[in-house]
C-alpha cells in the first residue's frame, strides 16, 4: 500500500476559500502556517488517484454538457455495497449538485405550506435554513446531553411525530456537530415512530464513510424494504474525498413515487445536471480511492486521540464529546464559565484558533466549539499549545 502525503499544507488565501479568507479578515495578524479548523472540508491533499485521473480525463475529453454514465452508476452502486452493505439499483440514484441542495429539494417536494419538519438539535445549520427559508415549520427534537454524550429523546420525538401536521424528519446521520453514529437499534426505533405516524425520513448521510474504529454506520434505508420505501437518502463523495468544490452528490430514492416527486421539484429549478468533472471525480474516488480513505481515517483518529489525551491532561475542564463519526470534534467549553461571545473572541484573537462556533448550530450549541480534525497532526498539536497558552493568559482557568 502506498503512503499518502498528509503533511503538506496548501495555503488557500485569495483562492476562493471562504474559511481561509475569513480567518485573515477576522484576525489580520494571524501568522503563516496557521490553518482554519472551521468549515468541513479537509486541509489534506486530494488523493492522487483522483487528481491524476482527472488530468487524463481533461486531456482526452470535451468539457461540454454531460450526464451520468453506466460506469458512474456502477461505481456508486459498488461503493454502497462494499462500504455499507446496501444493494441499490442505478435507477434509484438522482444526482444533485450537493447534499444541501438535495435536502432543500426534499423539503419542497414532500412538504407544503406550514407543515412541520423535525430536526434533532443542535444540528448542521443549513438544515434550519432549508426549513425556515422555505416557510415550513421547524420542530425541535432536542438531543439529550448527558455525561458528555448525546442521546435521542424518543418520547419527545414520538409526541411531535404524532402531530398530523408534522410531515418530515430531517435526519443527520452521522450527526453533525455532535459526532454520533446512530446505532441500528436507534435508527429502527426512529423509523418505526416515523412510519407509524406517516412522517417521511429524509436522511443526510454525507459523512457516512467517516466513522471511527469501533463504530459502524448503518444507512437508514438498508434496514428493511419498508424503511427504504419510506425514506430519501442523501449521499456524496464530497466529505469523504474532499471534493465539495466539484458539486456532485447522489440522492438515493428506492420508492418510485417519491423519486418522481423529487425529480419534478428539481425540474422546477432546472438544475438536473452536475459538473462533468464531478461525475468523473466521484467515479475515480469510488473505484480507486479506498486506500487513501483508510489512511485518512487513521489520521483523523490519531488527531482525535491527541486532542482527547491533551485536554484530559492539560485542560480537564473542557469536555470532549466522543467523536464516533465525521471528522468534526465537538468540545464543551461551558465548564470554564466563559460567556460564548467572549469565548469566540479568545479563540480567534488570543489562541488564533478558528473553529466553527457552537452557537451557529443553535442555542444548545452555545459554549461549544467544533474542531475540524481533517488536517496534518502537527497543526492539531500547535493548535492545542496555542489553546493552553491563551487560556492561561486570559486567566479563565482550566489548566492543571
Amino acid at each position: 500500500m502506498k503512503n499518502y502525503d498528509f503533511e503538506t499544507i496548501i495555503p488557500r488565501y485569495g483562492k476562493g476559500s471562504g474559511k481561509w479568507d475569513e480567518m485573515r479578515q477576522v484576525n489580520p495578524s494571524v501568522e503563516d502556517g496557521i490553518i482554519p479548523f472551521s468549515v468541513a472540508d479537509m486541509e489534506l491533499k486530494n488523493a492522487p488517484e483522483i487528481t491524476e485521473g482527472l488530468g487524463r480525463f481533461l486531456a482526452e475529453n470535451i468539457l461540454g454538457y454531460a450526464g451520468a454514465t453506466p460506469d458512474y452508476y456502477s461505481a456508486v452502486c459498488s461503493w454502497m455495497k462494499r462500504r455499507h452493505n446496501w444493494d441499490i439499483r442505478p435507477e434509484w440514484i438522482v444526482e444533485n449538485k450537493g447534499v444541501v441542495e438535495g435536502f432543500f429539494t426534499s423539503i419542497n417536494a414532500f412538504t407544503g405550506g406550514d407543515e412541520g419538519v423535525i430536526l434533532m438539535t443542535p444540528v448542521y445549520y443549513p438544515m434550519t435554513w432549508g426549513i425556515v427559508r422555505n416557510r415550513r415549520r421547524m420542530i425541535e427534537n432536542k438531543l439529550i446531553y448527558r455525561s458528555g454524550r448525546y442521546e435521542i429523546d424518543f418520547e419527545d420525538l414520538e409526541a411531535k411525530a404524532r402531530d398530523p401536521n408534522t410531515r418530515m424528519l430531517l435526519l443527520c446521520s452521522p450527526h453533525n456537530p455532535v459526532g454520533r453514529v446512530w446505532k441500528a437499534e436507534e435508527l429502527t426505533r426512529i423509523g418505526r415512530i416515523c412510519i407509524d405516524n406517516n412522517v417521511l425520513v429524509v436522511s443526510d448521510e454525507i459523512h457516512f464513510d467517516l466513522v471511527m474504529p469501533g463504530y459502524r454506520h448503518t444507512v437508514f434505508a438498508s434496514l428493511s424494504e419498508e424503511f427504504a420505501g419510506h425514506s430519501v437518502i442523501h449521499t456524496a463523495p464530497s466529505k469523504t474525498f474532499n471534493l465539495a468544490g466539484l458539486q456532485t452528490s447522489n440522492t438515493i430514492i428506492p420508492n418510485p413515487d417519491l423519486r418522481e416527486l423529487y425529480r419534478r421539484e428539481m425540474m422546477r429549478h432546472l438544475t438536473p445536471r452536475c459538473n462533468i468533472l464531478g461525475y468523473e471525480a466521484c467515479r475515480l474516488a469510488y473505484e480507486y480511492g479506498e486506500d487513501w480513505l483508510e489512511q485518512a481515517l487513521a489520521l483523523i483518529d490519531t488527531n482525535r486521540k491527541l486532542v482527547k489525551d491533551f485536554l484530559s491532561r492539560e485542560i480537564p475542564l473542557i469536555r470532549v464529546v466522543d467523536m464516533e463519526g465525521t471528522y468534526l470534534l465537538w468540545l464543551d467549553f461551558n465548564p470554564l464559565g466563559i460567556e460564548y461571545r467572549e469565548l469566540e473572541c479568545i479563540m480567534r484573537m488570543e489562541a488564533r484558533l478558528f473553529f466553527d462556533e457552537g452557537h451557529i448550530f443553535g442555542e444548545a450549541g452555545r459554549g461549544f466549539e467544533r474542531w475540524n480534525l481533517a488536517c496534518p497532526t502537527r497543526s492539531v498539536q500547535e493548535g492545542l499549545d496555542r489553546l493552553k497558552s491563551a487560556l492561561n493568559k486570559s486567566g479563565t482557568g482550566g489548566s492543571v
Side-chain angles (χ1 to χ4, degrees):
M1 181 185 293
K2 73 192 312 184
N3 290 318
Y4 293 96
D5 178 6
F6 293 136
E7 293 297 322
T8 300
I9 293 173
I10 300 177
R12 291 194 275 167
Y13 293 119
K15 297 181 180 179
S17 171
K19 68 176 181 177
W20 277 77
D21 291 341
E22 181 188 27
M23 178 172 70
R24 186 59 58 86
Q25 290 163 7
V26 168
N27 188 345
S29 65
V30 68
E31 307 96 309
D32 289 342
I34 288 180
I35 67 172
F37 298 115
S38 54
V39 176
D41 63 7
M42 298 178 174
E43 298 304 330
L44 303 173
K45 293 179 69 175
N46 290 106
E49 290 82 357
I50 299 172
T51 54
E52 292 168 9
L54 287 176
R56 293 189 295 271
F57 184 84
L58 283 166
E60 298 167 0
N61 287 273
I62 300 296
L63 300 181
Y65 293 119
T69 64
D71 286 345
Y72 176 87
Y73 289 128
S74 176
V76 174
C77 291
S78 178
W79 185 262
M80 297 302 164
K81 178 62 177 176
R82 288 199 320 278
R83 300 293 299 193
H84 300 287
N85 196 31
W86 188 28
D87 285 305
I88 68 169
R89 301 173 187 170
E91 61 267 26
W92 295 357
I93 301 170
V94 184
E95 310 93 72
N96 296 274
K97 292 181 179 177
V99 163
V100 172
E101 179 181 277
F103 61 67
F104 268 59
T105 300
S106 290
I107 290 166
N108 280 308
F110 306 123
T111 66
D114 190 39
E115 291 182 329
V117 180
I118 299 173
L119 284 182
M120 294 177 179
T121 58
V123 74
Y124 181 50
Y125 49 90
M127 290 183 162
T128 303
W129 297 347
I131 297 168
V132 174
R133 294 180 184 181
N134 288 301
R135 300 180 182 178
R136 275 33 172 198
R137 185 165 53 91
M138 189 178 101
I139 302 170
E140 278 194 274
N141 172 226
K142 295 180 181 179
L143 295 171
I144 299 169
Y145 180 52
R146 182 186 294 125
S147 302
R149 179 179 169 82
Y150 286 84
E151 299 173 356
I152 298 167
D153 187 338
F154 284 105
E155 290 185 7
D156 181 71
L157 176 62
E158 187 163 15
K160 288 171 176 174
R162 209 176 288 132
D163 181 344
N165 199 43
T166 300
R167 305 301 297 162
M168 178 186 292
L169 167 65
L170 188 50
L171 179 67
C172 196
S173 179
H175 194 283
N176 173 15
V178 309
R180 276 299 314 278
V181 173
W182 305 119
K183 297 177 182 178
E185 309 89 80
E186 292 172 304
L187 294 170
T188 298
R189 192 170 176 186
I190 290 169
R192 193 71 269 147
I193 290 170
C194 289
I195 290 174
D196 289 348
N197 290 283
N198 197 30
V199 173
L200 180 68
V201 177
V202 174
S203 188
D204 172 359
E205 306 199 12
I206 195 170
H207 291 278
F208 68 158
D209 295 316
L210 299 161
V211 176
M212 296 298 98
Y215 298 95
R216 180 180 178 82
H217 176 80
T218 301
V219 176
F220 178 84
S222 72
L223 286 164
S224 71
E225 287 189 18
E226 184 182 25
F227 281 23
H230 199 82
S231 62
V232 173
I233 311 298
H234 292 286
T235 76
S238 51
K239 299 302 180 195
T240 309
F241 293 100
N242 207 28
L243 301 175
L246 291 179
Q247 298 184 321
T248 302
S249 69
N250 297 292
T251 300
I252 304 172
I253 313 176
N255 184 318
D257 295 329
L258 294 177
R259 192 164 62 247
E260 178 60 23
L261 287 172
Y262 187 88
R263 286 190 183 277
R264 285 182 190 174
E265 181 60 30
M266 287 183 68
M267 291 305 297
R268 287 183 64 241
H269 303 284
L270 297 176
T271 58
R273 283 195 175 98
C274 296
N275 185 314
I276 186 173
L277 295 182
Y279 280 122
E280 181 64 7
C282 179
R283 184 191 70 80
L284 289 164
Y286 284 170
E287 289 190 356
Y288 305 110
E290 216 151 354
D291 287 347
W292 182 92
L293 173 59
E294 291 298 335
Q295 290 185 39
L297 288 171
L299 171 77
I300 294 162
D301 189 45
T302 294
N303 292 346
R304 176 185 68 86
K305 292 174 181 175
L306 173 62
V307 175
K308 186 174 182 178
D309 292 347
F310 182 96
L311 294 181
S312 175
R313 183 178 66 252
E314 303 290 343
I315 321 175
L317 286 180
I318 298 176
R319 297 183 186 135
V320 179
V321 178
D322 276 341
M323 188 181 77
E324 300 174 359
T326 81
Y327 49 71
L328 307 165
L329 186 63
W330 192 233
L331 299 172
D332 183 1
F333 283 70
N334 284 292
L336 294 178
I338 308 171
E339 194 271 337
Y340 74 94
R341 285 164 294 198
E342 181 186 355
L343 176 65
E344 180 175 2
C345 183
I346 292 171
M347 291 301 102
R348 294 182 167 195
M349 306 309 293
E350 298 295 331
R352 286 103 69 221
L353 288 169
F354 300 87
F355 299 135
D356 268 338
E357 299 299 316
H359 63 80
I360 70 175
F361 300 94
E363 187 175 345
R366 290 180 179 179
F368 288 78
E369 301 283 357
R370 193 190 74 171
W371 190 334
N372 180 340
L373 296 180
C375 61
T377 299
R378 73 177 187 279
S379 297
V380 177
Q381 182 62 63
E382 291 165 0
L384 288 166
D385 293 338
R386 294 198 305 275
L387 175 61
K388 180 182 176 182
S389 176
L391 290 178
N392 286 339
K393 182 180 178 181
S394 69
T396 53
S399 297
V400 294

